Amino acid sequence: MDLKFELLVLPVSDADRAKAFYEAVGFRLDVDYTDNEEFRVVHFTPPGSECSIIFGDGMTTAAPGSTQGLYLIVSDIEQAHAELVARGIEVSEIFHDAGGLLHHGHDAGDVVHNGPGQERLAGLHPDRASYGCYLTFSDPDGNGWVLQEVKQRLAGR
């Protein structure tokens, strides 16, 4: 059985503000539909992705900004950083995680201790290893995104 993850409902407080933000990031607007004053769905897809986000009015009871750890994969973290900055998006500096393949957290700062071997260190991974470099940004409500550089997938993925 194939199970394809295709849609995530994102909790936001202002659909128009969120729409402007995700357009600035470079996501593709697929749908902006309003049925009445109480229901609106705005549907975006990140470039190159098969998974989309939706938000709007009457979509979820989750608190705006409560979604964290949304990963977007890029092949060149430096290029992604430069492009987001050029688009006016406030992003973290590039960092790497001393402990492995998955950064645990979305905190700001050069060094964040998230447990043994899970230190957030400023700059590119020393070996520029796949899965080793990150940057973060948040939408206007605080929903947190992580960009991770993957140049080559691990075997079997």
Side-chain angles (χ1 to χ4, degrees):
M1 167 176 55
D2 283 344
L3 298 172
K4 296 181 180 181
F5 186 63
E6 292 194 10
L7 191 64
L8 175 77
V9 178
L10 202 58
V12 303
S13 62
D14 181 325
D16 288 324
R17 181 178 70 174
K19 179 181 176 183
F21 176 81
Y22 286 104
E23 286 176 326
V25 171
F27 285 23
R28 180 189 71 228
L29 177 63
D30 297 314
V31 174
D32 186 349
Y33 173 77
T34 303
D35 190 35
N36 57 49
E37 289 181 15
E38 297 172 7
F39 181 78
R40 177 181 179 192
V41 61
V42 182
H43 179 241
F44 276 98
T45 303
S49 180
E50 293 186 30
C51 187
S52 300
I53 60 170
I54 61 170
F55 54 82
D57 302 320
M59 297 294 303
T60 181
T61 58
S66 62
T67 303
Q68 299 298 313
L70 298 165
Y71 274 70
L72 295 169
I73 303 303
V74 297
S75 60
D76 186 326
I77 198 80
E78 290 176 305
Q79 179 184 348
H81 185 273
E83 187 171 327
L84 288 170
V85 169
R87 290 172 173 266
I89 305 303
E90 185 176 325
V91 298
S92 73
E93 291 302 318
I94 295 169
F95 62 93
H96 64 281
D97 191 314
L101 301 177
L102 184 63
H103 177 66
H104 304 275
H106 189 269
D107 302 302
D110 288 343
V111 179
V112 176
H113 297 285
N114 298 309
Q118 296 299 320
E119 295 85 23
R120 176 175 164 163
L121 304 172
L124 295 167
H125 186 278
D127 299 326
R128 195 73 185 262
S130 279
Y131 302 92
C133 299
Y134 307 87
L135 67 82
T136 59
F137 69 89
S138 296
D139 73 11
D141 284 293
N143 293 301
W145 293 87
V146 178
L147 268 64
Q148 181 180 32
E149 182 178 72
V150 176
K151 293 179 175 281
Q152 184 177 12
R153 296 261 178 204
L154 294 174
R157 294 192 181 197

